[in-house]
């Protein structure tokens, strides 16, 4: 189950790491977001990707809450099970 996201802006594109509750990590690149995309667009794409993963693998809805950035080009987020309707997905 995902518990966090790290999103980095790099010259090659937007990179992400998804941290899991069991200590694992899934890393990759946001392939459908352009290198010059606005950070809000990249954060939305990363959140949608994690929501889809949670649905597909855990049949659970999640909320993604982005933390204020600590340095330029780097964002982190917390992923929690959605309180409104757990184990369902629209």
């Amino acid at each position: 189950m995902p518990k966090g996201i790290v999103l980095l802006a790099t010259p090659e594109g937007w990179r992400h790491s998804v941290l899991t509750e069991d200590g694992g990590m899934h890393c990759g690149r946001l392939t459908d977001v352009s290198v010059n995309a606005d950070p809000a667009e990249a954060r939305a794409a990363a959140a949608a990707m994690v929501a889809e993963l949670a649905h597909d693998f855990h049949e659970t809805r999640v909320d993604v809450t982005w933390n204020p950035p600590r340095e330029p080009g780097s964002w982190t987020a917390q992923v929690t099970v959605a309180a409104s309707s757990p184990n369902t997905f629209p």
Side-chain angles (χ1 to χ4, degrees), residues 3-7 19 64-67 75-79:
K3 74 171 189 175
I5 307 170
V6 177
L7 182 64
L19 313 170
V64 175
T65 306
W66 291 97
N67 302 316
W75 295 265
T76 60
Q78 302 300 314
V79 180

Side-chain angles (χ1 to χ4, degrees), residues 13 23 27 29 41 44 53 62 64 66 80:
C27 301
R29 187 170 68 91
E41 182 182 344
L53 288 170
V62 295
V64 175
W66 291 97
T80 55

Side-chain angles (χ1 to χ4, degrees), residues 3-22:
K3 74 171 189 175
I5 307 170
V6 177
L7 182 64
L8 301 172
T10 71
E12 296 80 32
W14 292 93
R15 305 288 304 178
H16 65 79
S17 295
V18 177
L19 313 170
T20 65
E21 288 181 353
D22 64 359

